[in-house]
Amino acid sequence: MEARYYTAEEGHAVRCNLCPHNCLLKEGQAGLCKVRKNNDGILLSENYGKVCSLHLDPIEKKPLYHYYPGRNILSVGSVGCNLHCRFCQNWEISQSSVKDYPYLKEYTPEKIVSLATSEEDNIGIAYTYNEPTVWYEFMKDIAEKANSEGLKNVMVTNGFINPEPLKELITVMHAFSVDLKAFTETFYKQLTSSSLAPVLESLKTIRASGRHLEITNLLIPGENDDEKDFRSMMEWIRDELGPDTVLHISRFFPTYKLDHNATPESLLHRFYTIAREYLHYVYLGNVSSDKGRDTTCPKCGHVLISRSGYRTKITGLDEMACCDKCREQTPVFIAGG
Ligand code: SF4
């Protein structure tokens, strides 16, 4: 499949304009994502239609806590990523090319949409597992068909995408779960081989579009746990995206190239308390206890949604997503709300 967003350059070279790496590729070369390749002066999307994972997941796994809580979503992914995070939890697929990964299955957009509509209690399709930006053409083709069937589209992304393709994608996506991995360029450069500034721009663009947005920050001891940097991140989210922005602080476990100890739960609880000074809705992920899981009303403290593991119960919201004690309107999408 010919890729979108590229320009022809001298001598059969092409420049991919999909993400801020803007790879210049000579004949036969693949981009940093390993799945877009120059074939005789044409940029190909090599992973188009190649699926490595397809599961019905609780939407809380994406993680999205304010978007149809308690419901399921058909989740689909492929191989390839435009980042090279040393702490990637899905590195077997994210750091593979199509030819290096033997378990890919062929699907058409129609087939994925038909599977999604045949599942009971499924709100739509989530593009996840690997970075869906590098699956742009297939994701967009599915999303357009899913829209016409009344399904919701959710993108789980690192946010490292150029503004033009992101704006086009926003026309077919309903919700975004974006990783904000740290708040320094040094971290992004040294641990992910990318940069922070484009991710911040993507977050602002998504917020301005009115699409649903939640952010995840993986807290890695010794790498992005400087309190001053974390407070700067919280200030930026509050001031640029608003205090109602949902933040998930997630626990790191050693994986791939980073063998640091797991994040101490005491550190997660301390950063949770700091984040709550700035934002109304903060959650902890990958922790053993249920602390930091419930949604409470920012005005009266009433429990609105209770969570235990992946069991979710809406306990304190009316059908319009208002607190049923003090009537505060909350930024939660629920059926009928
Ligand atoms: S999407 Fe892939 S080929 Fe295109 S610029 Fe990004 S890393 Fe390079």
Side-chain angles (χ1 to χ4, degrees):
M1 169 64 71
E2 184 172 0
R4 306 266 318 277
Y5 291 105
Y6 78 96
T7 45
E9 302 287 331
E10 263 179 44
H12 264 45
V14 297
R15 185 176 297 280
C16 177
N17 301 312
L18 180 57
C19 91
H21 287 310
N22 294 109
C23 297
L24 180 63
L25 306 173
K26 290 185 195 150
E27 164 62 28
Q29 262 188 338
L32 289 168
C33 58
K34 298 186 177 172
V35 289
R36 297 167 87 76
K37 189 172 177 184
N38 178 352
N39 184 32
D40 203 17
I42 308 275
L43 185 67
L44 297 182
S45 165
E46 290 203 311
N47 58 355
Y48 189 96
K50 307 273 196 310
V51 171
C52 79
S53 311
L54 188 66
H55 297 287
L56 191 67
D57 285 340
I59 190 129
E60 282 75 15
K61 263 195 179 181
K62 300 304 107 188
L64 288 178
Y65 275 20
H66 285 213
Y67 198 68
Y68 297 98
R71 303 290 302 279
N72 292 320
I73 189 155
L74 187 70
S75 302
V76 58
S78 184
V79 290
C81 185
N82 51 353
L83 267 57
H84 302 296
C85 301
R86 296 175 61 77
F87 46 88
C88 182
Q89 288 161 349
N90 287 339
W91 62 271
E92 289 97 336
I93 56 170
S94 73
Q95 303 304 311
S96 278
S97 65
V98 169
K99 80 171 164 33
D100 291 342
Y101 195 80
Y103 310 111
L104 295 166
K105 287 194 181 149
E106 290 270 357
Y107 282 83
T108 59
E110 290 78 7
K111 178 70 186 166
I112 302 234
V113 172
S114 134
L115 287 170
T117 51
S118 66
E119 293 283 2
E120 273 180 33
D121 192 32
N122 174 36
I123 63 157
I125 301 172
Y127 309 92
T128 178
Y129 303 131
N130 72 317
E131 171 53 46
T133 292
V134 303
W135 216 25
Y136 191 90
E137 295 76 13
F138 192 58
M139 169 171 55
K140 180 122 191 300
D141 286 353
I142 301 171
E144 279 171 358
K145 290 186 172 32
N147 264 337
S148 57
E149 294 291 331
L151 296 165
K152 305 294 183 198
N153 288 303
V154 168
M155 185 180 183
V156 181
T157 177
N158 57 38
F160 196 69
I161 179 170
N162 276 332
E164 205 185 326
L166 174 60
K167 281 179 190 149
E168 188 183 329
L169 210 49
I170 281 170
T171 63
V172 292
M173 286 292 150
H174 299 90
F176 290 82
S177 169
V178 181
D179 279 345
L180 181 53
K181 294 168 192 285
F183 209 59
T184 66
E185 286 292 352
T186 309
F187 178 101
Y188 264 82
K189 190 171 172 205
Q190 292 181 351
L191 278 91
T192 77
S193 308
S194 68
S195 56
L196 168 65
V199 179
L200 299 182
E201 277 312 304
S202 293
L203 286 166
K204 287 200 278 186
T205 302
I206 294 166
R207 171 55 84 222
S209 75
R211 297 300 196 245
H212 183 73
L213 168 67
E214 300 191 20
I215 295 175
T216 298
N217 174 237
L218 180 74
L219 190 62
I220 308 174
E223 299 293 351
N224 62 356
D225 61 348
D226 179 87
E227 183 176 327
K228 198 161 152 280
D229 290 341
F230 187 76
R231 284 187 181 277
S232 300
M233 185 199 281
M234 294 305 104
E235 253 173 49
W236 185 89
I237 294 174
R238 180 196 62 198
D239 297 347
E240 296 291 338
L241 309 177
D244 275 350
T245 304
V246 177
L247 175 72
H248 302 263
I249 306 172
S250 190
R251 188 179 188 201
F252 164 83
F253 287 97
T255 183
Y256 195 34
K257 295 181 178 171
L258 218 57
D259 59 2
H260 299 21
N261 289 334
T263 318
E265 296 213 2
S266 56
L267 183 66
L268 287 152
H269 291 144
R270 186 159 72 80
F271 273 50
Y272 170 87
T273 305
I274 293 170
R276 284 297 304 265
E277 291 175 28
Y278 300 82
L279 306 174
H280 296 147
Y281 303 101
V282 181
Y283 302 102
L284 293 179
N286 285 341
V287 287
S288 55
S289 71
D290 286 332
K291 188 174 177 345
R293 306 291 292 277
D294 291 350
T295 302
T296 53
C297 175
K299 194 169 164 200
C300 73
H302 184 46
V303 176
L304 307 174
I305 306 171
S306 66
R307 299 182 184 86
S308 178
Y310 286 114
R311 283 188 307 280
T312 300
K313 214 167 166 195
I314 299 174
T315 49
L317 287 175
D318 68 16
E319 65 283 359
M320 298 306 290
C322 295
C323 171
D324 65 13
K325 198 167 169 203
C326 74
R327 300 288 148 211
E328 175 80 351
Q329 177 72 57
T330 66
V332 181
F333 284 81
I334 53 174

